[in-house]
Amino acid sequence: PAPSPFGIPFRCLYSKNISNLYFAGRNISATHMAMSSTRVMATCAIMGQAIGTAAAIGVKENLSPRQIFEKKIKQLQNTLMDDDCYLPWKKREISEITRQAALSANGDAEALRNGLDRSIGENGNLWTGKSGDSIEYKWNTPVKLKSARIVLDSDFSNVKRMPCFYPASGWNVKVPAKLLKKFKIEIKKTTDSNWETVASVEENIKRLVNLKLDVEAVAVRLVPEESWKGEEMRIFSFDVN
């Protein structure tokens, strides 16, 4: 029996003797035992994401695939994790501005900045609350906030299949009930000022949400307002940069 999940080394995805050739899919360097799972289509797609990201870094830095492994592997891994690609046993790097902030919320919210954007084993790695609860980051002096990154619960425990037939009555696949439908970002420009809404999302269908802010503030908070079905609000990560 093979351990699961397992990571696929980047070195499996480029040629040993052709300097600028990538592979993604069923032609990667793997034994027949490894191929029994790496050949799965969703896994092949993730490998495509990996080499596409690596190719972009290579073009920008003028590096070959092997040089990316030698010099930029952490950058590649962090870029993939920022894009919500799961790399087993790796933790995503959290921005310094998020790590330095004082965090307050209803309930334990430290999981929101632990670098793990999904439940792993018995560790939920998420914050749960009710509509109107908030998660707040606060600083002693105003800081520049360029963006916010939020990862929501799209219910990986629910078996999802691509439909192979389309009945006349319609296909009964809906947005995951646990996913946040409506939420907003608010800031305080000074300690004494009122909360001001700088971003608002409605009818959300995404698990990973990146929002541009471009503001200065002494505090920022995420306020979940509604999920697609159910009272519990579930959030894996909330970062600001």
Side-chain angles (χ1 to χ4, degrees):
S4 182
F6 62 88
I8 298 175
F10 177 59
R11 287 175 294 173
C12 293
L13 308 183
Y14 60 84
S15 173
K16 178 180 179 179
N17 56 356
I18 299 176
S19 63
N20 197 30
L21 179 62
Y22 279 112
F23 303 99
R26 295 175 177 176
N27 57 352
I28 71 166
S29 177
T31 67
H32 73 286
M33 290 292 290
M35 193 66 68
S36 66
S37 60
T38 60
R39 66 180 179 80
V40 176
M41 294 309 297
T43 304
C44 293
I46 295 298
M47 288 189 280
Q49 180 182 355
I51 67 167
T53 303
I57 294 173
V59 169
K60 183 177 180 180
E61 304 288 345
N62 193 28
L63 297 174
S64 69
R66 188 182 305 279
Q67 289 172 322
I68 290 173
F69 164 70
E70 294 170 344
K71 300 178 181 180
K72 298 289 183 178
I73 189 64
K74 286 189 177 181
Q75 179 184 341
L76 173 59
Q77 291 169 342
N78 286 324
T79 302
L80 288 169
M81 289 188 285
D82 278 340
D83 288 336
D84 199 28
C85 181
Y86 176 48
L87 303 183
W89 327 126
K90 300 291 183 182
K91 281 190 176 184
R92 182 174 55 85
E93 290 186 0
I94 306 300
S95 67
E96 184 177 357
I97 199 171
T98 300
R99 288 188 282 107
Q100 291 180 344
L103 171 60
S104 60
N106 298 325
D108 183 11
E110 279 297 333
L112 293 169
R113 54 181 181 180
N114 71 357
L116 299 171
D117 295 342
R118 65 193 63 209
S119 297
I120 301 174
E122 296 181 358
N123 191 344
N125 293 316
L126 82 167
W127 171 89
T128 60
K130 296 181 179 180
S131 175
D133 288 347
S134 63
I135 304 154
E136 178 183 340
Y137 289 127
K138 183 168 61 177
W139 301 269
N140 293 328
T141 57
V143 296
K144 180 70 173 180
L145 301 176
K146 298 178 181 178
S147 62
R149 178 185 182 276
I150 304 160
V151 179
L152 306 172
D153 188 357
S154 58
D155 194 5
F156 285 164
S157 64
N158 182 25
V159 177
K160 301 174 179 68
R161 302 287 183 188
M162 293 180 65
C164 58
F165 65 95
Y166 296 86
S169 58
W171 184 252
N172 189 29
V173 175
K174 301 182 183 301
V175 179
K178 296 179 180 180
L179 193 69
L180 282 192
K181 180 180 181 180
K182 182 179 180 182
F183 54 94
K184 60 185 177 181
I185 301 287
E186 298 180 329
I187 64 164
K188 273 190 175 183
K189 292 182 177 179
T190 66
T191 305
D192 299 326
S193 63
N194 295 322
W195 288 104
E196 174 187 340
T197 300
V198 292
S200 182
V201 178
E202 299 183 8
E203 303 296 318
N204 174 62
I205 58 172
K206 295 181 179 180
R207 170 184 150 85
L208 172 64
V209 180
N210 287 298
L211 299 173
K212 291 184 178 180
L213 299 181
D214 194 24
V215 294
E216 282 196 358
V218 295
V220 60
R221 69 181 184 183
L222 169 61
V223 184
E225 298 177 279
E226 184 182 354
S227 65
W228 279 94
K229 186 176 181 181
E231 297 182 358
E232 190 174 58
M233 310 289 113
R234 300 168 63 87
I235 302 172
F236 282 113
S237 296
F238 172 41
D239 305 1
V240 288
N241 294 282

